[in-house]
Every structure is written in structure tokens, then in C-alpha cells.
Amino acid sequence: MSPFLDALLLSAGYNAALVTVGAALLGIAAGATGTFLFLAKRALVSDAVAHATLPGVGLAFIAMVAMGGDGRSLPGLLAGSAASAWAGLLAIEWITRRTRLKEDAAIGAVLGVFFGLGVVLLTVVQTMGAGRQAGLEEFLLGATAGMLFADGVTIAAGGALALAAAWALRRPMTLVAFDRDYAAARGYDVRRVDLAMMALVMGVTVIGLKLVGLILIVALLIVPPVAARFWTERAGGVVWIAGAIGGASGYIGAAASAAAPDLPTGPIIVLVAAGIFALSLLFAPARGVAAAGARHRRFQRRVHRRQGLLALAHGDAIREPYTLRLLTREGLIRPDGVPTAAGRAQAAKVARDERRWAVARELFRDADLAGRHAGLTPIETIFTADEIAEIDRRLGGPAPAGGA
Amino acid sequence: MQPTLTVAAEDGRPVAPAAPPAEAALVLRGLTVSYGESAAVFSVDATFPAGAMSAIVGPNGAGKSTLLKAALGVVPRVSGEVTVFGTPLASARDRIAYVPQRASVDWDFPTRVRDVVEMGLYREAGLFGRLSGARARRVAQCLDRVGMADFADRQIGQLSGGQQQRVFLARALAQEAELYLLDEPFAGVDAATERAIVEVLAALRSEGRSIVAVHHDLATVRDYFDHVLLLNVRRVAEGPVATAFTAETLEAAYGGRLSTSHVGEILPAGGRA
């Protein structure tokens, strides 16, 4: 069997299996919680949160060494990263609320300052005796080589916790994302809902630091919901599908990177997610680019067909080459432009429907009706047989219906 | 205990929070809202009667929507107090349904018509309560009431402006509230929708419910509403439409922005001296 297949079947060694399962769990949690960020149109906040973890990692290491510890304890480092990410979040929230700056400016400022501070602290750590082999720079892009079973448990437990919290808060978070003012009027504390959402994202970021790294975790939070949006028109659907896409990306990406020893895990996972996004963008049934193009062509064909048939009915010449091709292909006109018997029949029907529509607009005087079906929909699909009979009765009268 | 005094009136005189008349649905006292240093709404007193349809009318930038949002606690107020059916706003939330401006949300949001109406039940259902069964039937009834039953499974972006407004109204109906606050419910909707909304609101009034709507069309104020607040940052006039909606008060609210002939159209029955 190929190494990739081995890795997919979790039979490529203990560490590879651990990383693969951990990455899948992380992907599910990131996709599902990232959805709420995406729905609230605040995707970039997660980038600031991720970068704001770095000073916490450095400070936690220094603090643990100062207290006589090893400094490399993962729970300690993660707690530190969570604390500084939370400080970054509060800074963004405070700047947005207390000044006239918009959130994007606040994100830019906080992201830069915290990341810069983090890099300085890592340099300081390098100068400490205990810091040289600390490997703290692994938090930037993630590293899986030395992943322990305990790390896997941390990811699984943290991911499950984030998922459970996201499920519990799905209604307030969806409502605040869709209609903030209405949520506030209903008595929801929208600021606290925002902070809860950010806390979830922060939790996923922190548990993903070891595996994916702080620079790429944002992709795992945002790419799955963006891809999922192509497949569904419901917020709940986006959550489930984003979770599935995130999980699949984590699983496949980690297996692929395990199969070829020098491939970095985090970037491969993100590339797999990006691949799923590209497929969704192109081929999703309703919202995809291909479907939209096909819809547009169908509509264009209907317009041209009807215009051509109306021209035939009025005895006008058809000049548009596309219309000519279309009608010829359907056998409605001969190549020299003369209508066939079928073409004459169709033209007569379209012309009759046109007159019927004119009467129908008089009769029903419904704005929706007139606007929506500007003659393109066959009249039989809009009105019942007796309504059409009534229209025809008016059409057949000696004077056109306009007088009454 | 002495009642606390709050500085409320426009001239700075302290006004005791007197008990509002029992029939008032919404009472505003000295309501002031500011964006930065300038007041968007300044020291507005108003009493919207229960069981009636009231309009908030005024020129662009008069603070109509801001007043409504401040009354709901959606935007913070600098001063003033809000009383709903004689109780403070915080304890009356479940008796109020809000219909925001249609343009205030993203209509490409992944949600169907049915889901939006369901949002009206989130508070009642809590975090984990079921939305199927009886609540789903209520959602269907509310959609039916606004003539949108056939559109329940559409994504909301595929609706016309009027249909979107109906969905928002259905969400408010689902709350089964006593006071309905609507922000420009007739803005940019087709004639059929305007008729449908007026019918629903009139039915609510006949059930004894109270309606307060920000309204922009001066020509229909007399047809639709019983009570009116004319607003231009400050309160210009307030009372029953017959007495408060006159050529003089319109002139005071709009300044020179309304021509005499226009006022003549709005007030056909000799409102102009």
C-alpha cells in the first residue's frame, strides 16, 4: 500500500495516527466555530487573536523558568497564549467602542503590536540558558514531530468543549450576526454574545497552536465556512458543512504530510481546505460559478427565443445571429430565415400569450405579477385554465379590453 | 420615600417621574440621545396611547429612528427614561416587538424566510427549547398572516423589498407582543404590501395591541394613524392626529421644506387656515 493510504488508514505509525486524528478534531472545531465569525463578517478578528497569542507564549515560558520549572510545559504555554490573546481581543473591542476607529484599523494595530512584542520576547527567551532548545518558534507554523498523547487529548477535549459551547450559543450568535439591533431589542447583551464568540475562537486558536501554528490557524477557521456557504442557504447548514470540511481537511492534510516526511502538516491542511473551497466555488449546485453561468445562458436563450418568435409573428426580420442559430437549431426556421410550420405555430402561440399577458395585467393589477413574469414564463404555469378562459373571452370581444 | 428627581425638561427644570396614565403603551420622558457632541434627539417627552396606532413623523435627520432605538435600549441614551405599560423597559422586553429598517441587515445571510420568523421565538425558546411542533405551527400562521406562506423555504435574498418587509413583520407577530415598534415599515414597498401591512396593523389594533411606527409619507398619516409625534430633534407637537397634525405643526417641524401646495394635499379638509 502507498504511504498516503497507510496514513489515511491510521496505520503509518503511532505519531502519524495521533496527529491525523488530532488534526481532524481540530478541523471540525475550527470550521464550526469559525462559521459564526464568518456570519458576523468579522473573519479578520481571528487573525489578530492568533497573532496576539505569541507574547503570551514567551511570557509564560519566562515565568515558568523563573519559578524554577522547565518552561516547556504545553498547558502552561497554552494558558499564557490564551491570556495574551484575550488581552488582544479586549484591546480591539475597547478601541472600537471608545474611539472613532473602525474594527479593521483596531485589528491592524493590535495584530502588529502583539506580534512584534511576541517576537521580541522569543528573542529574549533565546538568550536564556534554558530557552535555546525550547522550540517556541514552532508555535508560528506548527510542528507535529514531537506530538505527545497528552497533546492529542488536549486538542480533543478543547475541541469538544468549543463545539459544545458553539452549539449552546448557536441561537444568540446567529441572531446577533444577522440582526444586531433586533437582538439588542429582544434583550440579548450583544456585547457579551460577541465576547463569547471571540472566546470560542480564541479557544480553538490556542489548541491549534501546536498543530497548525498561529499564522495559519486563521485559514482553518475561515476557509471551511466560506466553502460551506456555497452548499447551503441555512446558517445551521453552514455550521455542519464547515465542520465536515474542516475535519476532512485536517484528516487528509495530516495524512498527506505524514506520508511524505518533509511536508509541513499545518500548511498542507490549509492547502487541502483551500482545494475544497475552490471545488465549492466552481461546482456547488446553486451558488457555484458553473451553475450561475448555466443559469445565465438558459435565461439568455429564453429571451432570444421569445424575441425571435415575436419577430416571426410580426413578420419582422431577425438580425441577431444568436437568435437565428437558436431558432434554426430548434427547427423553427429554415436556414434562409423562413419559418417552418412548427415555427409559425410557436410564433402564433407566443404572440397570443403576449396579448393574454396584456389583458392579465389589466385584470389582476398585481405589481408582483407584472414585474416577475415579463412574458418569459409560459402563461399556463401562472394562471389556471378558467382564468385563461376569462382572459381569452376578453381578448375575443369586439373591442379591446382597454376601454372598460 | 421621596421620588427621585431627574432633569428632564428642555429648559432644565427637574421633572418628577410621575406615574404615567394607565392607558399609555410607551412613555418617553426627557429622552436625549447624542452621537458625539451633537444631540440626535433632545429631551423628548411623548406618550403613545395603548390600543392605538401612533406615527413618529419628521424630516430626514430628525432622529426618528434614533428615538425608536433609544426607546428600545438599542442605542444608549444620555438621559431620560422609558416606561412601557407603566413598568421600566427592562421588565417589559417580552411585551415589545421591534421591526427594524429593512436595509439594516444583509439579505444574503444564509437563512430562509421560515428561519427569520423563528428568530422571533428564540427568546421564548431559550438556548435549547424546541422550535418544532407548536412553535413551528405559530411560525407558519404568522407567515400566512402576512401572505408569505408559499415563500417559507426561500432564501431571504430572493424576495422583493415588500416581501422582505412582510417577513420582518411576521417575525414580530411571532412574538405575540403587546407593543409593536416599527421603523419605516412602508419605505420602498409595493402598494400591495403596504395594503397588507396596514391590514395586519389594523387587526393588531382591534385586538387591543399598540403600534408605534416611524413614518415618512405625510400623505397617509391621517389615513393610517390615530396619534402622532412630530419630531425634529426636539418634540414639535404630539397628540391625536386631528389636533397635532396641522399646517402649523408641519411648518414648525419641516421649516420651509414643505411647499404650501404640498401641505394642501396632505391636509385636504381645511387644515390650512
Side-chain angles (χ1 to χ4, degrees):
Chain A
M1 261 195 295
S2 76
F4 179 54
L5 218 55
D6 274 340
L8 272 186
L9 297 172
L10 301 180
S11 50
Y14 177 71
N15 179 261
L18 194 62
V19 169
T20 305
V21 172
L25 293 173
L26 176 69
I28 294 171
T33 53
T35 297
F36 294 100
L37 212 55
F38 162 68
L39 291 178
K41 301 183 173 42
R42 300 177 71 191
L44 278 183
V45 178
S46 62
D47 208 15
V49 170
H51 282 79
T53 56
L54 197 56
V57 172
L59 282 176
F61 183 87
I62 294 169
M64 284 189 286
V65 169
M67 287 187 291
D70 167 29
R72 276 180 297 182
S73 134
L74 189 64
L77 294 175
L78 292 189
S81 70
S84 75
W86 190 244
L89 257 181
L90 291 182
I92 292 173
E93 209 251 356
W94 188 85
I95 292 172
T96 317
R97 204 156 41 88
R98 293 289 172 192
T99 72
R100 286 165 163 268
L101 290 177
K102 297 280 175 281
E103 192 171 52
D104 60 336
I107 287 171
V110 168
L111 187 152
V113 169
F114 274 72
F115 191 64
L117 180 63
V119 171
V120 170
L121 285 170
L122 287 200
T123 318
V124 171
V125 166
Q126 290 293 322
T127 65
M128 295 165 61
R132 264 174 226 125
Q133 282 92 41
L136 293 191
E137 64 285 347
E138 284 179 356
F139 283 94
L140 288 177
L141 285 170
T144 52
M147 194 166 139
L148 305 170
F149 184 72
D151 302 346
V153 171
T154 306
I155 290 175
L161 207 65
L163 273 182
W167 187 75
L169 294 175
R170 67 201 189 284
R171 284 176 189 163
M173 288 195 298
T174 308
L175 186 55
V176 169
F178 174 59
D179 194 343
R180 217 178 159 73
D181 285 354
Y182 179 79
R186 290 300 274 132
Y188 286 101
D189 186 337
V190 292
R191 192 175 153 242
R192 272 175 56 197
V193 174
D194 277 346
L195 283 178
M197 178 178 79
M198 293 304 171
L200 282 180
V201 168
M202 196 194 75
V204 171
T205 304
V206 166
I207 60 166
L209 279 184
K210 176 87 179 153
L211 211 57
V212 184
L214 65 89
I215 292 177
L216 286 174
I217 188 76
V218 55
L220 210 49
L221 283 160
I222 297 309
V223 175
V226 173
R229 180 65 184 93
F230 283 100
W231 300 93
T232 175
E233 297 287 11
R234 303 192 64 188
V238 180
V239 176
W240 289 113
I241 298 172
I245 291 175
S249 308
Y251 196 90
I252 298 169
S257 78
D262 287 334
L263 285 182
T265 309
I268 297 292
I269 292 173
V270 170
L271 286 180
V272 172
I276 297 176
F277 165 71
L279 289 177
S280 307
L281 172 111
L282 291 174
F283 301 116
R287 294 176 68 91
V289 171
R295 249 195 327 275
H296 178 74
R297 278 193 302 281
R298 262 200 308 282
F299 181 78
Q300 195 179 24
R301 197 157 57 228
R302 270 165 61 200
V303 171
H304 276 270
R305 186 174 188 279
R306 175 166 168 281
Q307 303 294 65
L309 286 171
L310 274 179
L312 288 184
H314 300 149
D316 297 338
I318 303 171
R319 288 200 189 76
E320 190 105 24
Y322 178 64
T323 315
L324 283 171
R325 267 205 316 281
L326 194 70
L327 294 185
T328 315
R329 202 166 57 212
E330 291 189 24
L332 299 173
I333 54 173
R334 296 199 316 240
D336 57 4
V338 176
T340 63
R344 278 196 301 276
Q346 288 283 334
K349 177 176 172 358
V350 169
R352 190 183 65 225
D353 279 0
E354 186 76 356
R355 290 195 299 277
R356 282 168 161 177
W357 268 111
V359 176
R361 282 187 205 108
E362 283 288 313
L363 270 182
F364 295 94
R365 287 200 173 280
D366 185 332
D368 285 352
L369 197 66
R372 189 123 18 105
H373 310 291
L376 282 178
T377 323
I379 200 159
E380 301 86 359
T381 63
I382 307 291
F383 296 107
T384 57
D386 57 313
E387 283 171 334
I388 294 180
E390 166 69 16
I391 293 168
D392 284 347
R393 210 162 47 73
R394 301 214 171 199
L395 261 182
Chain B
M1 211 175 73
Q2 281 288 98
T4 45
L5 296 181
T6 47
V7 177
E10 206 176 303
D11 56 11
R13 119 190 93 88
V15 174
E23 68 270 19
L26 174 65
V27 177
L28 311 177
R29 293 191 144 263
L31 192 68
T32 300
V33 185
S34 83
Y35 295 123
E37 292 286 295
S38 63
V41 171
F42 188 75
S43 193
V44 169
D45 291 342
T47 304
F48 298 101
M53 270 177 76
S54 308
I56 301 173
V57 175
N60 287 335
K64 305 186 292 287
S65 297
T66 303
L67 181 83
L68 206 61
K69 286 183 188 175
L72 283 156
V74 172
V75 299
R77 43 184 193 269
V78 173
S79 75
E81 61 181 61
V82 178
T83 313
V84 178
F85 296 114
T87 64
L89 175 66
S91 56
R93 288 239 176 253
D94 292 339
R95 301 166 76 179
I96 309 173
Y98 173 45
V99 180
Q101 270 184 31
R102 191 160 50 81
S104 65
V105 305
D106 167 20
W107 291 92
D108 195 40
F109 197 87
T111 189
R112 302 169 308 171
V113 166
R114 183 197 301 283
D115 306 322
V116 173
V117 181
E118 233 173 50
M119 289 176 190
L121 302 174
Y122 278 5
R123 199 76 204 169
E124 171 192 316
L127 294 181
F128 306 108
R130 274 156 46 91
L131 290 169
S132 51
R135 291 205 178 102
R137 280 195 295 282
R138 224 162 92 203
V139 167
Q141 279 163 11
C142 293
L143 279 173
D144 196 40
R145 250 180 115 171
V146 298
M148 290 290 291
D150 293 339
F151 295 81
D153 293 317
R154 293 266 183 101
Q155 195 272 332
I156 52 172
Q158 298 165 7
L159 306 176
S160 71
Q163 289 167 341
Q164 291 173 345
Q165 192 68 58
R166 292 180 196 219
V167 175
F168 265 10
L169 181 60
R171 178 175 67 177
L173 291 177
Q175 287 178 234
E176 296 179 346
E178 292 157 63
L179 170 61
Y180 291 78
L181 300 181
L182 302 92
D183 198 347
E184 301 260 17
F186 305 117
V189 307
D190 54 282
T193 296
E194 180 154 343
R195 265 198 316 279
I197 293 176
V198 168
E199 270 171 36
V200 169
L201 295 182
L204 289 173
R205 175 176 54 185
S206 68
E207 293 165 14
R209 299 173 204 265
S210 318
I211 292 127
V212 177
V214 170
H215 191 60
H216 68 289
D217 183 5
L218 295 177
T220 50
V221 170
R222 291 190 158 238
D223 297 337
Y224 296 164
F225 295 97
D226 314 307
H227 190 92
V228 67
L229 166 67
L230 273 166
L231 185 76
N232 193 353
V233 182
R234 295 150 197 262
R235 180 177 99 159
V236 175
E238 191 222 327
V241 170
T243 56
F245 193 70
T246 65
E248 289 71 31
T249 57
L250 279 173
E251 173 73 28
Y254 284 82
R257 272 176 280 188
L258 288 180
S259 66
T260 311
S261 63
H262 190 178
V263 174
E265 281 165 32
I266 298 163
L267 304 167
R272 184 89 188 164

